[in-house]
Amino acid sequence: MTARILTMTLLSSFAASGADDVVMRAMRDELERSMRKLQLENLQKPYFISYRVVETQSCAAGASFGALLDSYCEPEATEARSRNLGVEVRVGDYARDNTNFFAPMNMAGVARPLFTGGARVPIDDNYDELRRQLWLDTDSAYKTALDTFAKKKAALENRTRTDDAPDFSKEQAVTFSQPLPAVSWKRDEIEKMVKSLSALFRESPGIDGSTVRLTCTTWLTRYVNSEGTSYVRPATTAAITINADAQASDGMPISDFEVIRANSIEQLPPREEIVKRIRALQARLEGLRKAVVVERYTGPVLFESGAAAELFLQALGSAFAEVPRVVVDDLRFERMYSANGGFADRVGARVLPEFLTVTDDPSAKEFHGQTLYGGYAVDDDGVTAHPTVIVDKGILKTLLHTRALVPGTTQSTANRRGNGPMPSNLLISADKTVSSDQLRVELLRMAKQRGLDFGIIVRRMSNPMIQQSLGRSRMIIMTRGNAAGSIDVEPLIEAYKVFPDGHEELVRNLNINSLTLGSFKDIVAASDSAAVYTAPVRMSIRSPATRMTFAFPGGPNVVSVAMPSLLFET
């Protein structure tokens, strides 16, 4: 084995994306037929149709304490390759159509199969069968769209809408094609690697559970719509997820994890770097087993860049995105969709300190030499990626959205990722910065002013999506006592008391209580250096199930954040 972990062979077994691509040909032909012929007697024709097929191939293996837990790898296991179809049919017009509507009894009447959120289609390049599946799903989506549009118009007859945003934006037609060759993974090498790395935990008797998993995935997304947009968009990722569990001296369960990402398996760091990170995880857990418990702390907190980014994602990830306000046919349900609980009514107001600016840029590939993993050339709607300034010098300028427009907007921000809007690469910049050493000095000064003997530095936070993916067998129930309007965020994994003489003391049992969106206006200072942090984000935006959504992501569902360290006043 070389300095790199694995050597992979690239093949071209993924279907080509050029003129001979059977899948694209079937999609284009069925789209043309549907736009020309699809119409029920005396009813409206569709004004917009789109097809999206996401083809994935994956390889994964996991091991614990040197023993293989599971393994699957295409082409040896055919379930590791799939194609999923999403169909979107709109009737009406760009101003008002069948979307953004909720009716509790919308399923009443004639039942029909609704697979437009992600039907499986053949992985064989069978033109006739692909056309048949496209026709079935288009027919179902069209009839459902007609029914929904009629109910929406009826609901709006005796009602005045407070916003005049069109239901759908008009965007420039785009053609983009970048075919992705498939990967022939060497299953035995992957298994050998995870077994070897997981065996390192045998040397830590205090760790009672651990897993090392390597997951490699390639996506090929094909898309066409009736406006002339088409794209073939590739994406690849490789991730090593390392997690471990232990018990503190008082019996309290503790856990920690590491995620190492790359765009491909060849780009993963050398084995010695991965071993170094495993050793660091082991050392942290051993330290946490003996760490003191902090029952309560109210005072200044310094979040170093990775922890600050995780806090940003958990608290503001959903708040920076918005969906249209939904029409409901029963006003008793209106409050369910009146707002997403974020910044929907705060555009133009100050939401961060005046020295902070936040930009979402899916077109960016790196930040100061550090890879950004949340980007793409076009979003899932086929809108060309471009930067969007969300917050400018503390003032909220706009919110991320898709072609489903929100009040005050006319164009998409190119943030359609799967079911709705989602950040891509968040770049946080500060006009006023201090060095890391000065941040610590200011932390201790503020703590002393509060009559405290120490301040708190946070270096790592748990992530809800990663914890969910790990499938942990034990559950820890905590009572946080948050006030109304508070944001629940995950517990702190790595936090320290820092004392005036400079020494640090690892602590545990720290959770953040009473955090609100307004808390971010009280950031005191930012560091003069930033680091990139990448993680999945859980979006909590209220939107009805339209059965037109693209349920399967066309790439890694993560957000990269370029974040300085932040000092909070609490």
Side-chain angles (χ1 to χ4, degrees), residues 167-481:
D167 281 335
F168 203 48
S169 69
K170 296 181 180 180
E171 303 287 345
Q172 183 176 357
V174 170
T175 301
F176 173 81
S177 182
Q178 185 181 348
L180 172 71
V183 176
S184 178
W185 288 294
K186 295 184 178 178
R187 182 173 186 165
D188 57 341
E189 289 191 13
I190 290 177
E191 293 175 355
K192 181 179 178 181
M193 187 265 286
V194 295
K195 287 167 65 176
S196 172
L197 292 174
S198 69
L200 297 173
F201 285 98
R202 292 177 184 171
E203 304 167 19
S204 300
I207 293 177
D208 54 43
S210 67
T211 304
V212 176
R213 178 174 299 279
L214 170 61
T215 304
C216 310
T217 309
T218 60
W219 293 264
L220 191 64
T221 305
R222 299 171 172 93
Y223 176 90
V224 296
N225 72 25
S226 53
E227 299 168 326
T229 287
S230 67
Y231 67 79
V232 179
R233 187 188 66 193
T236 63
T237 188
I240 300 174
T241 305
I242 307 157
N243 70 280
D245 301 299
Q247 273 194 342
S249 54
D250 59 3
M252 180 182 182
I254 53 178
S255 63
D256 200 350
F257 67 91
E258 279 281 348
V259 179
I260 302 169
R261 301 181 191 277
N263 283 322
S264 67
I265 204 164
E266 299 91 339
Q267 296 178 24
L268 286 169
R271 175 183 169 82
E272 53 266 27
E273 174 62 24
I274 299 172
V275 171
K276 182 180 178 181
R277 293 177 68 166
I278 289 176
R279 298 297 189 201
L281 185 153
Q282 292 169 322
R284 288 197 304 268
L285 275 178
E286 185 59 32
L288 281 172
R289 293 180 65 215
K290 304 170 185 176
V292 298
V293 174
V294 175
E295 297 294 342
R296 185 175 181 83
Y297 174 84
T298 302
V301 180
L302 173 57
F303 286 84
E304 294 192 347
S305 56
E310 183 64 58
L311 182 68
F312 233 68
L313 287 179
Q314 292 185 35
L316 302 183
S318 294
F320 282 149
E322 187 181 4
V323 294
R325 292 177 181 173
V326 176
V327 176
V328 296
D329 72 340
D330 187 334
L331 294 179
R332 292 175 298 176
F333 293 88
E334 190 168 34
R335 289 188 62 185
M336 292 173 56
Y337 300 111
S338 61
N340 64 20
F343 287 137
D345 300 319
R346 299 288 291 163
V347 174
R350 186 171 73 86
V351 296
L352 291 175
E354 294 179 356
F355 57 84
L356 286 182
T357 294
V358 180
T359 302
D360 182 89
D361 190 358
S363 64
K365 295 182 179 179
E366 63 175 36
F367 175 83
H368 294 172
Q370 303 171 79
T371 302
L372 299 169
Y373 294 100
Y376 38 81
V378 293
D379 76 348
D380 284 352
D381 279 330
V383 180
T384 302
H386 58 270
T388 299
V389 177
I390 305 172
V391 179
D392 184 26
K393 300 184 187 305
I395 304 300
L396 183 66
K397 293 298 185 180
T398 191
L399 293 171
L400 304 176
H401 58 277
T402 67
R403 294 186 66 179
L405 294 174
V406 298
T409 65
T410 58
Q411 304 297 138
S412 168
T413 60
N415 285 91
R416 174 72 179 269
R417 302 183 70 185
N419 288 343
M422 180 177 172
S424 59
N425 298 315
L426 290 175
L427 311 179
I428 289 81
S429 59
D431 293 337
K432 182 183 70 175
T433 63
V434 298
S435 69
S436 297
D437 289 341
Q438 289 174 310
L439 273 183
R440 289 171 66 98
V441 169
E442 181 63 13
L443 168 69
L444 290 169
R445 186 197 67 79
M446 293 169 61
K448 182 179 180 180
Q449 191 177 51
R450 292 281 197 95
L452 300 170
D453 296 328
F454 58 87
I456 293 289
I457 293 179
V458 180
R459 296 203 169 105
R460 288 170 51 74
M461 285 184 64
S462 185
N463 177 283
M465 303 299 287
I466 293 175
Q467 295 295 329
Q468 179 180 333
S469 69
L470 294 176
R472 297 194 182 279
S473 59
R474 59 177 144 202
M475 181 181 295
I476 305 171
I477 300 176
M478 298 178 224
T479 303
R480 302 190 182 181

Side-chain angles (χ1 to χ4, degrees), residues 5-41:
I5 296 171
L6 296 170
T7 302
M8 308 305 294
T9 303
L10 294 179
L11 301 177
S12 57
S13 57
F14 245 153
S17 60
D20 59 341
D21 185 346
V22 174
V23 181
M24 285 294 282
R25 182 158 56 89
M27 292 165 67
R28 287 192 173 101
D29 290 351
E30 187 58 33
L31 180 68
E32 189 275 332
R33 188 205 66 81
S34 294
M35 289 300 295
R36 182 166 43 88
K37 294 185 175 181
L38 185 60
Q39 183 178 19
L40 293 178
E41 186 176 358

Side-chain angles (χ1 to χ4, degrees), residues 139-173:
D139 179 73
S140 175
Y142 171 58
K143 292 172 181 174
T144 301
L146 288 171
D147 184 53
T148 302
F149 188 47
K151 291 177 180 177
K152 182 177 178 180
K153 288 194 296 184
L156 287 172
E157 278 183 358
N158 300 312
R159 197 178 310 173
T160 301
R161 292 194 63 170
T162 58
D163 69 82
D164 58 354
D167 281 335
F168 203 48
S169 69
K170 296 181 180 180
E171 303 287 345
Q172 183 176 357

